[in-house]
Amino acid sequence: MAAKHNDLVFSGVQPTGNLHLGNYLGAIVNFVKLQETHSCIYCVVDLHAITMPPSVWGGPEELARSTREVTAAFIAAGIDPKKNIIFNQSQVAGHAELTWVFNCVARIGWLNRMTQFKEKAGKDRENASVGLYDYPVLMASDILVYRATHVPVGEDQKQHLELTRDIAQKFNNDFAESIAARGYGEGFFPLPEPVITGPATRVMSLRDGTKKMSKSDASDYSRINLTDDADTIAQKVRKAKTDPEPLPSEEPGLAQRPEADNLVGIYAALAGKPKANVLAEFGGAQFSQFKSNLVDLAVTRLAPIAGEMKRLTQDPGYVDSVLIDGAARANVIASETMSAVKDIVGFIHKR
Ligand code: TRP
């Protein structure tokens, strides 16, 4: 009999650089929605952040600042830190501990296939950190140390989630006898599934509709930061690149018009309705008219979040207390899993 796993959501966001509209619409909005139906654990993955050189993540002050900013964004966007768990990864030792066990379960051949490592390591692979190579195993541990069943992730993380399932399955197989003998039931680890809620929103640069909105783009006009105030949001939307045609009234009309497609997609995601409905409303309109509607919508939805983030950032004591309280509650679950893993593997430990 496979063990019955209760539904539990886990996801992580890296504290590297400023959060923008892409992070919000692509991830955080779904996190907020999932708390209505699931128990959720949302983690600021600081251990993952340091897999790149300090020059990339900005050093200790910047790591701490960014960890608090992501936490503030979670809270400002509407995630309730009492009903759910919000914490930073490095506070719960189980993540790193389970990673070691999983390092001995995962195969080098599996990691060699990870496309994100190839992209992030670039040409000089010999010079990449061992941590960057092991990044996917740490991610598997994040999820499985809570035996989480559902993981909201973007398209780019699906391969890592498949690896997570492979590791869970191999652990369950390698230790099947021990798991059964100790009464943990078959399938000690669940095989977690990706969750895609609503239309997977890929937010593109406001200057080039073929490039993803990114924190590392040189132009600040390419993105809307979650901390931008109303005037800045309005300015960036008005300056966003468009083409000279009016808006089409149906979706096929957006093909080969990446900037138009992106702005309609942003409007749809912020309004919480399908792109088709947005086009039904604005088809035939000029961009100047559409943009002023988009400015109103973006300011209404985003400016309060920016305001709340600003308020929270000025109260680091409160933000830290959320992370410390969350870590204590996360640790209860993680310790239970680690105790079972130690039994299963044969490590002597205090019960
Ligand atoms: N790798 C994820 C990203 O870059 C972040 C992450 C770390 C994560 N651990 C996780 C996401 C566990 C989901 C579950 O987006």
Side-chain angles (χ1 to χ4, degrees):
M1 258 286 289
K4 162 112 184 62
H5 296 285
N6 292 324
D7 279 10
L8 178 64
V9 168
F10 182 96
S11 198
V13 172
Q14 286 206 51
T16 46
N18 299 330
L19 290 170
H20 54 69
L21 188 62
N23 304 113
Y24 179 64
L25 293 176
I28 299 174
V29 168
N30 295 336
F31 295 1
V32 177
K33 210 178 286 163
L34 280 163
Q35 69 179 339
E36 289 165 18
T37 49
H38 290 74
S39 298
C40 303
I41 304 178
Y42 297 126
C43 184
V44 188
V45 291
D46 49 9
L47 298 176
H48 278 108
I50 66 164
T51 57
M52 295 296 274
S55 57
V56 174
W57 44 270
E61 279 78 22
E62 175 54 21
L63 183 63
R65 187 206 64 78
S66 180
T67 299
R68 294 191 179 108
E69 184 184 293
V70 175
T71 309
F74 283 171
I75 301 167
I79 298 169
D80 180 343
K82 292 224 150 65
K83 276 180 31 201
N84 306 279
I85 293 177
I86 298 176
F87 75 108
N88 59 309
Q89 192 184 24
S90 60
Q91 287 202 79
V92 178
H95 294 247
E97 227 178 332
L98 187 56
T99 297
W100 184 258
V101 176
F102 283 170
N103 279 339
C104 303
V105 172
R107 307 288 89 183
I108 290 175
W110 299 357
L111 291 187
N112 285 343
R113 287 194 280 276
M114 295 295 114
T115 57
Q116 186 175 288
F117 173 74
K118 292 177 199 174
E119 278 163 28
K120 285 202 180 181
K123 285 196 180 70
D124 192 8
R125 208 175 286 182
E126 293 283 304
N127 194 36
S129 77
V130 177
L132 185 67
Y133 186 66
D134 206 31
Y135 181 116
V137 179
L138 178 58
M139 181 164 158
S141 305
D142 294 340
I143 299 164
L144 293 171
V145 84
Y146 304 101
R147 285 175 273 178
T149 54
H150 294 81
V151 184
V153 280
E155 204 60 43
D156 64 327
Q157 295 298 313
K158 278 196 170 166
Q159 193 187 32
H160 288 161
L161 206 59
E162 273 166 39
L163 182 91
T164 301
R165 284 200 294 274
D166 289 342
I167 291 174
Q169 187 139 47
K170 188 162 189 296
F171 181 95
N172 290 346
N173 287 340
D174 287 358
F175 295 98
E177 254 178 63
S178 176
I179 291 169
R182 285 161 184 77
Y184 289 113
E186 249 176 65
F188 175 73
F189 284 118
L191 308 184
E193 289 166 28
V195 196
I196 317 271
T197 42
T201 310
R202 252 187 117 217
V203 181
M204 311 306 279
S205 159
L206 299 179
R207 312 251 76 192
D208 176 352
T210 64
K211 283 200 319 205
K212 250 174 102 167
M213 186 175 282
S214 158
K215 59 170 191 253
S216 45
D217 194 308
S219 166
D220 202 50
Y221 277 94
S222 70
R223 66 187 156 257
I224 295 175
N225 301 305
L226 268 190
T227 48
D228 284 346
D229 62 17
D231 287 346
T232 312
I233 296 169
Q235 243 182 53
K236 286 177 175 177
V237 171
R238 285 201 200 95
K239 288 206 175 190
K241 187 176 169 197
T242 52
D243 58 44
E245 304 295 316
L247 285 157
S249 38
E250 285 174 0
E251 274 192 82
L254 291 172
Q256 267 81 58
R257 297 179 65 185
E259 283 82 19
D261 192 15
N262 188 36
L263 292 181
V264 171
I266 290 171
Y267 190 102
L270 286 171
K273 52 183 166 188
K275 276 202 250 182
N277 295 20
V278 178
L279 294 178
E281 191 180 340
F282 291 100
Q286 298 296 325
F287 267 105
S288 52
Q289 187 205 329
F290 177 66
K291 276 184 170 179
S292 65
N293 283 271
L294 180 54
V295 166
D296 289 346
L297 177 61
V299 167
T300 309
R301 285 289 315 272
L302 301 174
I305 297 177
E308 183 63 5
M309 280 177 71
K310 193 166 173 196
R311 198 184 65 77
L312 287 164
T313 317
Q314 283 159 358
D315 189 357
Y318 170 70
V319 173
D320 290 9
S321 76
V322 165
L323 293 173
I324 290 166
D325 169 69
R329 287 152 59 216
N331 193 44
V332 171
I333 310 172
S335 299
E336 201 182 309
T337 301
M338 285 317 299
S339 176
V341 166
K342 287 173 184 178
D343 285 346
I344 290 165
V345 175
F347 293 154
I348 290 169
H349 64 105
K350 179 164 171 271
R351 277 157 211 277

